[in-house]
Amino acid sequence: MSEPKALIRPDRGEAAIAIHLVNKDGFEAFAKRLTAGQRAALAAQKFEGGGYQIGIVPDGDSWFAVSGVANPESLSSWCLAKLAEELPEGTYRLADGDPGAAMFGWITGQYRFNRYRSEDKAQGPRILLTTQVGPIDAVTAEAEAECLVRDLVNMPAEDMGPAALEAECERLAKAHKAELTVVRGDALEQGYPMVHAVGRAAARHHAPRLMHLTWGDPKHPVLALVGKGVCFDSGGLDIKPSAGMRLMKKDMGGAAHALALAGLIMAARMKVRLHLLIPAVENAISGGAFRPGDVLKSRKGLTIEIHNTDAEGRLILGDALTRASEESPDLIVDFATLTGAARVALGPDLPAMMARKDETADAFLAAGKANDDAAWRLPLPEAYREYLASDVADMANASQNPFAGASVAGLFLDRFVGEGLDWVHFDTFAWNPNPRPGRARGGRGLGLRAAYHAIRARYGA
Ligand code: BES
Ligand code: ZN
Ligand code: ZN
């Protein structure tokens, strides 16, 4: 696709094709203003003003487009996405009003992952003009962040291993003049023993590491972002069946979210001291792999008995959350493709969100709702802590029963978040299995804009 930024431009009155938005109720009135020929053209296209319907209307030597939306006065993120996908290359403007939130879908509707096609299937850009007051950059930045999440998730694991995630962090640090430290090898084994244990079976060129990016005035409140960077999850020795393994290149989706969110926060120059922590590993199988029954020592000092090597995300996040907590942060937010149980509960479109404080949870839920990126809260029930009891160590990494898997994973993480700290956990899918306008099949941000807007409301730009 074209650069997201290039798809929206300030309207300086240049020639552009008009887009009229109607709904079923308003369509009759709209049609009355058309010529008989134009009405016949729309009838031939079976255009009736229904959602996502598109009509092309001849107009002298030119033409304009009409599309159905639920409410032309208040556009959602996706209202223009199908138009952006289906209209020919060119420059467009809305006949009435401003696109607002729909700019997000205009851009993401043109997202394609064509990196691995021999033939360049890219279509020419469809550019939307806007008279919106205020910086267009603020909206396009969110769409750009979404496209980044998709790109990182869609990349095959061989090309998006720990080293490639490190390169992404480096690119981000350069772009915003942030500092980046990468911990590997012996230092990783010492400082982040669970990250090392999970990642140590991978081939040398996919060696585990932890990226730690810092940015912003140290006098500002500390915001820590943590993302699960399992670049491929085979399950380890508790190997996944093939259907369960097929999509596991996306198991670094949490890292992609955290990274993209960090970029948005730095671009908006929010008043925070930012810490981005990304543990990056491949959960691979070899003679050196960690085993069921092994006991790992964590950064925090707690010992963890491994019941299941496929519950690896919580292990690497445990050490990263411990490190984040050492900064006495005002808020910790983590993203992880952590459990199948969250998907069983909520399906692919709703990320599960867990939080210690109700006010913080409410702020994140409200921000999600207001920005077409809703999440659903799941609890962290004290009573289920005992599911993680171990006979030999301080704690086990998985429960022996099938109940409340997403909450139990959340409770595991909770043990590594410093006492009393404000913490939000997103168990996200990072993938869209059913394509819809603006949401191609493949990698997808879920919870990204919810978190961004909640954080922006909390700290200001
Ligand atoms: N990456 C998976 C979770 C996952 C699976 C996310 C499918 C999205 C779709 C994670 O590492 C995992 O395998 N979790 C196990 C935990 C279990 C062994 C306690 C799970 O959810 O089955
Ligand atoms: Zn796993
Ligand atoms: Zn995993």
Side-chain angles (χ1 to χ4, degrees), residues 352-395:
M353 189 212 67
M354 284 156 248
R356 282 179 173 173
K357 294 188 185 167
D358 291 342
E359 308 93 272
T360 308
D362 291 345
F364 275 70
L365 292 177
K369 249 194 193 152
N371 291 281
D372 299 314
D373 186 26
W376 205 267
R377 190 177 182 189
L378 293 184
L380 294 165
E382 280 303 321
Y384 298 166
R385 265 191 214 283
E386 66 184 35
Y387 293 178
L388 292 169
S390 159
D391 288 342
V392 302
D394 297 335
M395 191 172 33

Side-chain angles (χ1 to χ4, degrees), residues 94 270 315:
L94 292 189
M270 283 189 204
L315 299 171

Side-chain angles (χ1 to χ4, degrees), residues 271-282:
K271 292 187 166 36
V272 295
R273 171 70 176 168
L274 181 69
H275 284 255
L276 170 67
L277 288 148
I278 296 189
V281 302
E282 177 179 350

Side-chain angles (χ1 to χ4, degrees), residues 228 230 233 248 251 310 312-313 337-338:
K228 171 178 171 181
V230 175
D233 184 7
M248 283 300 130
D251 214 19
D310 199 8
E312 83 298 339
T337 50
L338 202 61

Side-chain angles (χ1 to χ4, degrees), residues 131-442:
T131 52
Q132 169 170 307
V133 284
I136 295 169
D137 277 5
V139 187
T140 57
E142 283 178 55
E144 215 166 4
E146 167 68 21
C147 293
L148 174 62
V149 170
R150 294 182 187 186
D151 271 343
L152 297 183
V153 170
N154 286 334
M155 291 280 280
E158 184 57 23
D159 297 340
M160 189 44 67
L165 267 188
E166 176 183 335
E168 280 302 318
C169 290
E170 221 167 65
R171 191 189 54 72
L172 189 70
K174 276 219 181 85
H176 299 282
K177 297 196 169 67
E179 271 174 47
L180 179 68
T181 314
V182 183
V183 186
R184 315 182 188 77
D186 289 344
L188 189 73
E189 192 170 359
Q190 291 304 310
Y192 301 89
M194 296 203 289
V195 180
H196 181 267
V198 172
R200 74 190 185 203
R204 207 145 48 135
H205 67 293
H206 292 310
R209 64 205 73 193
L210 179 124
M211 278 75 81
H212 186 171
L213 177 149
T214 51
W215 173 90
D217 190 337
K219 287 196 232 57
H220 289 150
V222 170
L223 168 67
L225 302 179
V226 180
K228 171 178 171 181
V230 175
C231 296
F232 188 74
D233 184 7
S234 71
L237 290 174
D238 287 301
I239 189 169
K240 286 180 183 292
S242 35
M245 203 189 298
R246 177 60 186 89
L247 282 181
M248 283 300 130
K249 69 172 182 181
K250 77 173 179 71
D251 214 19
M252 35 55 70
H257 279 68
L259 212 141
L261 178 56
L264 283 172
I265 287 167
M266 294 189 285
R269 307 204 64 78
M270 283 189 204
K271 292 187 166 36
V272 295
R273 171 70 176 168
L274 181 69
H275 284 255
L276 170 67
L277 288 148
I278 296 189
V281 302
E282 177 179 350
N283 190 18
I285 298 171
S286 80
F290 77 124
R291 313 164 186 81
D294 280 356
V295 174
L296 307 185
K297 183 131 191 184
S298 62
R299 178 183 182 90
K300 193 172 180 185
L302 287 172
T303 56
I304 310 297
E305 184 188 14
I306 303 305
H307 279 338
N308 193 319
T309 61
D310 199 8
E312 83 298 339
R314 60 193 76 181
L315 299 171
I316 67 169
L317 289 171
D319 278 350
L321 288 167
T322 301
R323 178 65 190 86
S325 301
E326 289 161 15
E327 299 294 326
S328 308
D330 180 61
L331 175 66
I332 302 179
V333 182
D334 81 73
F335 293 88
T337 50
L338 202 61
T339 68
R343 289 322 105 212
V344 173
L346 299 174
D349 291 342
L350 274 179
M353 189 212 67
M354 284 156 248
R356 282 179 173 173
K357 294 188 185 167
D358 291 342
E359 308 93 272
T360 308
D362 291 345
F364 275 70
L365 292 177
K369 249 194 193 152
N371 291 281
D372 299 314
D373 186 26
W376 205 267
R377 190 177 182 189
L378 293 184
L380 294 165
E382 280 303 321
Y384 298 166
R385 265 191 214 283
E386 66 184 35
Y387 293 178
L388 292 169
S390 159
D391 288 342
V392 302
D394 297 335
M395 191 172 33
N397 80 324
S399 165
Q400 307 275 41
N401 70 50
F403 304 130
S407 288
V408 171
L411 286 168
F412 182 93
L413 299 183
D414 179 77
R415 288 293 295 272
F416 298 90
V417 177
E419 216 173 304
L421 295 178
D422 200 357
W423 165 60
V424 180
H425 160 57
F426 279 94
D427 191 336
T428 183
F429 195 41
W431 190 263
N432 179 29
N434 5 73
R436 279 151 292 168
R439 291 148 287 180
R441 185 179 4 257

